[in-house]
Amino acid sequence: MKALVFEGHGGVEVLQYRDVAEPEVSPNDVLVRVKATACNYNDIWARRGMPGMSVIFPHISGSDAAGEVVKAGSEVRNVQPGDEVVVHCGVSCRNCEACAAGVDVFCREFRIWGFQTGPLDGAHSELIRVPAYNVLAKPKNLSWEEASSLPLTLVTAWRKLVTRAQVKPGDFVLIWGAAGGLGIMAIQIARLFKARPIAVASSDDKLQVCERLGAEFLINRKKQDVLDEVRRITGRRGADIVFEHPGGATWQTSVQAVRRGGTIVTSGATSGHEGLTDLRHVFFRQLNVMGSTLGSKAELIQAMRFVETGDIKPVVSEILPLKEAGRAQVVMENSEVLGKIVLVPDGNGSH
Ligand code: NDP
């Protein structure tokens, strides 16, 4: 089978589209023929290398996939060959106190499949092996490409806003990178809870898409001062929730833009891992600063219900052959991405 493999860190030139052996299926695993697989920023971190995290080589990136089950291990009961599924990329021991309590994201063995696992087991491949626990039914109202674009960003945005920040009706939610993978989900989740999304993006074209998805306020960060705009929009009060992920470049603004007693919830550091915090803001203004990563299968199932009802919609801006993943990564690195870019393996054509 063909897959997109790399054996060391570097630029997109390290990505090789080549033959690899088909994965073996253990009793609790399924083998899935990938019809479509999404690009995520994690694919870029894995390729570039990230301080404090060792990537297992040879590596196949990709944590999102939609496809058809072709083989099920002898102990698998929840799916069978022919089933159409999507992958939930959180893997954990399933045994410890955290897993038993349904907060597998706190398991000491928690990993993002296709990012922190390996060798050779990510979704940018024609066939994948995943634990049967990690597949759920593909929403029937979506194409393969649409379905593959959702799970990782949907579950992350859901956990950030619903579980961690506990978004409420009327909350002003400041969303950085609002037209990116996490942002398009955050706008729709905020709307679902009758909150008031304030979308930040770097172009008017991106902001148009944000508006279509339900953003009530739009800020073009290249033309406008984000802090001034947030103060104007909220009557100088500040945002109830700041949906952070660009990191270094935006952190100080996020700290200033949140209201007294408000919440900053962060899951990323696209522009840098170090954010300067004036601690007086945190204690005088009694801020809640929260981290969040991925989410549980239960959180993904909850969120997927709203995909099935059409309340949360995927935004796929580009569909490329799997071998062109490098091109997709450059678009993401240049902040030119709108919604999600999806890759389709040559041999598994989804149409
Ligand atoms: P995308 O590439 O789809 O979108 C990121 C957006 O961030 C861009 O579109 C850009 O929007 C904005 N951005 C980039 N640089 C800056 C900057 N200097 N200032 C302001 N905005 C900036 O990525 P995702 O939405 O999928 O992921 C975002 C981050 O979250 C990544 O770092 C990713 O690794 C992380 N992440 C973490 C997860 C977790 O579980 N912890 C899960 C998913 C993602 P614009 O230029 O339009 O403003």
Side-chain angles (χ1 to χ4, degrees):
M1 66 167 193
K2 293 279 191 218
L4 201 80
V5 183
F6 54 104
E7 312 226 3
H9 297 302
V12 290
E13 68 284 352
V14 300
L15 303 172
Q16 307 161 33
Y17 186 65
R18 65 165 164 87
D19 286 311
V20 294
E22 269 189 29
E24 303 271 332
V25 175
S26 327
N28 290 304
D29 293 339
V30 289
L31 190 68
V32 176
R33 184 172 304 285
V34 176
K35 296 290 192 176
T37 170
C39 298
N40 282 293
Y41 221 92
N42 283 346
D43 313 338
I44 297 170
W45 296 125
R47 175 187 42 80
R48 284 185 191 157
M50 195 185 208
M53 194 193 97
S54 47
V55 169
I56 302 168
F57 293 119
H59 192 81
I60 299 174
S61 278
S63 302
D64 275 327
E68 196 175 290
V69 175
V70 288
K71 201 185 282 182
S74 56
E75 298 297 317
V76 173
R77 301 287 174 265
N78 58 326
V79 282
Q80 54 188 20
D83 284 358
E84 298 185 349
V85 295
V86 294
V87 170
H88 164 57
C89 63
V91 289
S92 64
C93 80
R94 311 274 172 241
N95 248 331
C96 68
E97 186 185 346
C99 288
V103 279
D104 36 329
V105 284
F106 296 151
C107 170
R108 292 187 64 180
E109 290 177 32
F110 182 80
R111 301 277 183 282
I112 300 179
W113 175 82
F115 178 46
Q116 297 164 308
T117 59
L120 293 175
D121 69 352
H124 294 172
S125 177
E126 287 180 339
L127 286 167
I128 54 172
R129 174 197 49 206
V130 280
Y133 177 92
N134 286 82
V135 295
L136 51 154
K138 165 187 164 289
K140 290 194 173 43
N141 54 333
L142 301 187
S143 67
W144 291 113
E145 290 87 351
E146 288 171 331
S148 76
S149 76
L150 284 172
L152 186 146
T153 48
L154 175 59
V155 76
T156 305
W158 186 271
R159 181 169 175 79
K160 279 177 79 169
L161 282 182
V162 182
T163 311
R164 301 289 280 146
Q166 303 196 345
V167 62
K168 294 187 303 303
D171 279 351
F172 286 101
V173 183
L174 175 64
I175 302 168
W176 291 103
L182 286 178
I184 55 169
M185 293 296 120
I187 293 171
Q188 298 181 81
I189 294 166
R191 266 298 192 206
L192 197 61
F193 284 80
K194 301 194 186 318
R196 311 184 71 184
I198 306 172
V200 183
S202 55
S203 77
D204 292 338
D205 289 351
K206 287 183 176 184
L207 287 169
Q208 264 178 23
V209 174
C210 298
E211 190 170 28
R212 245 189 16 239
L213 292 173
E216 188 176 340
F217 307 97
L218 309 173
I219 304 176
N220 182 329
R221 70 177 173 93
K222 297 281 183 188
K223 297 183 186 164
Q224 292 167 291
D225 183 280
V226 174
L227 189 56
D228 285 351
E229 286 304 303
V230 172
R231 286 180 174 153
R232 185 184 60 76
I233 290 164
T234 62
R236 302 204 66 76
R237 185 166 162 268
D240 298 279
I241 298 172
V242 178
F243 186 89
E244 242 297 337
H245 54 86
T250 54
W251 185 255
Q252 279 178 287
T253 307
S254 294
V255 169
Q256 290 174 285
V258 71
R259 72 159 164 83
R260 285 171 187 258
T263 298
I264 305 174
V265 59
T266 178
S267 64
T270 314
S271 65
H273 299 110
E274 290 182 4
L276 196 65
T277 308
D278 179 337
L279 291 172
R280 291 170 300 177
H281 282 284
V282 179
F283 60 78
F284 276 137
R285 295 172 51 235
Q286 309 200 39
L287 307 185
N288 305 302
V289 179
M290 290 180 179
S292 195
T293 277
L294 209 71
S296 67
K297 184 176 173 184
E299 286 166 318
L300 181 57
I301 291 169
Q302 285 159 21
M304 278 291 197
R305 290 204 183 105
F306 297 98
V307 173
E308 280 156 13
T309 57
D311 292 297
I312 296 178
K313 295 183 177 61
V315 178
V316 176
S317 58
E318 212 170 343
I319 299 171
L320 295 172
L322 174 56
K323 59 164 96 70
E324 291 183 29
R327 189 144 73 85
Q329 291 188 7
V330 170
V331 172
M332 291 180 75
E333 285 178 306
N334 292 339
S335 284
E336 286 162 0
V337 73
L338 214 167
K340 299 292 291 181
I341 305 177
V342 167
L343 306 168
V344 176
D346 275 352
N348 298 350
S350 56
H351 297 292

